[in-house]
Amino acid sequence: MKISKRGSIASVTELRSDLELFFEAVTNQWHPTENPDGKFPLNMAENNLLRRLLDSKVTQVMRTHAVEPWVYNYTGIGGSDEFLGSAANFIGKYIAKAEVEMENLVSSAGTTAIIELASWVLCDAGDVAAIPAPSYPVYTQDIHNKSAVERYDIISHHDVIELKHGPALTIDMLEKSRLEIEDKGKKLRLLILTNPDNPTGVLYTFDELKLIADWCIENKVHLLVNELYSLSMIDTHHPDLINDYNQQVQFESIIPYIQKTKSEYVHQCYGLSKDFGASGHRVGFFYSLNEEVLKAFRNVNAPHMVSNITQWLWMHILSDDHFINDFVRQNQKALTETYAIVVKHLKAHDIPFCPASGSLFVWLELSQFLPSNDAKGDHDLWKNIYDQTGVLLTPGDGFGHS
């Protein structure tokens, strides 16, 4: 054998089943005049709506600020003090709506790295992480490739319409899942929530988060709330959308409840990939009051450090309140307008969907078009749509839902 057993497994374990087609579509993107027969890659969570505005800000920072000496040297494994200070102020002001201490933050190379490190630090090999389904397909590899943590999908509902009232997850479902996992001789060690959710776009209310957090604390299960899309909100009062919602819910971060309970079992993460359309910059944050967890993160974070030049750049961007306020406002307006266009056409063709309150997604129901009601039919429909129209969606497999 030329490589290790784990290397052999990694060589045949796809990160996601649609990645190859994504890069194919990206190199052949549609243009109205230059490439009218091109592709529409809609399967990757990349927000390019305000690329010009971000590009202008990056250029302005690079031209008007001298690169500081610390950028060329080694800094803290979890991030430089200068960068973490600006990040703590930003997260506190715009996401948590509460004071955030930089000592409780670790920065890493995107939320992918954060999720991987969290599974490694919080769980042992063979432990289980529960995730409400449908959920981000690549969580499976994030928690398993190196940490060997198993994914358990909590099926909280079966029809898209059930999510019109928001997340369907209940404490009874959590308890049932815990018992099922324990009956198999496994240990539920981690619960991952994404708020706003990927891919449904639903929002957990603060009261719902508190109930879930209390259950996790009582059962000694670590709760990680991924708030990656917290500033990517849809204006649910938009005249074309307002009738889609049974209630109007605002995003509220889990951070104030972490601070209130001072629990060592509740954690939060965030990143710049989605709200700022900066996925290529690879910047993520982990927030916790658990000193042992923070020390562990810093001790294993070296391969995942954010480059100092990226830290320096975003230190200046995140400190510019005028830019942040303007960017968030314009981003939410553009997201709402594009979302309204999508759901207008779904309604016109009687395609059920989950009304999204935030994130970059529309979770829709295409079962009526399946050639066969099984995994093969699901995959065939997805591939046929791409082959016949050039529109690349995310395939249904991997979301963990029935």
Side-chain angles (χ1 to χ4, degrees), residues 6-241:
R6 62 188 176 204
S8 295
I9 294 172
S11 71
V12 296
T13 303
E14 291 181 317
L15 183 67
R16 52 188 294 168
S17 61
D18 58 348
L19 196 59
E20 186 175 341
L21 282 184
F22 169 73
F23 288 117
E24 174 187 296
V26 165
T27 59
N28 185 28
Q29 288 196 67
W30 177 87
H31 187 276
T33 57
E34 296 177 8
N35 192 22
D37 296 322
K39 308 296 186 181
F40 301 86
L42 303 182
N43 63 321
M44 199 66 67
E46 290 187 328
N47 179 5
N48 298 319
L49 293 172
L50 297 186
R51 174 61 53 81
R52 290 183 180 178
L53 183 58
L54 179 62
D55 185 58
S56 176
K57 181 59 181 177
V58 169
T59 302
Q60 181 259 325
V61 170
M62 300 293 282
R63 287 178 175 173
T64 59
H65 295 276
V67 177
E68 298 172 39
W70 62 265
V71 172
Y72 296 95
N73 302 323
Y74 288 119
T75 55
I77 302 298
S80 68
D81 287 348
E82 294 86 348
F83 173 56
L84 291 178
S86 65
N89 289 334
F90 162 78
I91 292 172
K93 184 171 185 177
Y94 292 95
I95 298 173
K97 304 296 186 353
E99 185 174 354
V100 171
E101 299 291 339
M102 59 178 278
E103 291 80 8
N104 298 320
L105 275 182
V106 175
S107 67
S108 198
T111 51
T112 294
I114 295 293
I115 298 296
E116 179 189 273
L117 289 172
S119 66
W120 197 90
V121 168
L122 301 175
C123 307
D124 289 318
D127 283 345
V128 177
I131 308 173
S135 188
Y136 175 50
V138 189
Y139 273 151
T140 303
Q141 308 305 343
D142 290 347
I143 66 175
H144 186 74
N145 278 354
K146 295 180 182 178
S147 305
V149 174
E150 298 179 12
R151 171 173 170 167
Y152 176 97
D153 294 295
I154 304 175
I155 308 296
S156 63
H157 64 284
H158 293 283
D159 295 319
V160 169
I161 193 65
E162 295 179 62
L163 294 176
K164 188 170 184 177
H165 302 280
L169 183 67
T170 66
I171 298 303
D172 287 343
M173 293 173 188
L174 289 173
E175 189 63 27
K176 179 176 180 288
S177 299
R178 182 183 67 82
L179 293 174
E180 286 183 358
I181 291 167
E182 291 179 353
D183 284 344
K184 295 179 181 179
K186 302 286 185 178
K187 182 174 181 60
L188 175 59
R189 191 68 70 93
L190 176 64
L191 174 65
I192 301 175
L193 300 184
T194 308
N195 191 38
D197 186 54
N198 171 359
T200 65
V202 296
L203 272 173
Y204 291 88
T205 67
F206 194 61
D207 287 341
E208 288 169 335
L209 288 173
K210 288 193 295 183
L211 284 173
I212 294 169
D214 287 344
W215 182 89
C216 288
I217 294 168
E218 180 182 350
N219 289 277
K220 294 183 169 54
V221 173
H222 287 280
L223 171 63
L224 178 60
V225 182
N226 183 354
E227 298 180 348
L228 186 60
Y229 303 93
S230 55
L231 299 179
S232 296
M233 303 305 300
I234 304 297
D235 178 9
T236 55
H237 291 90
H238 187 284
D240 293 341
L241 304 175

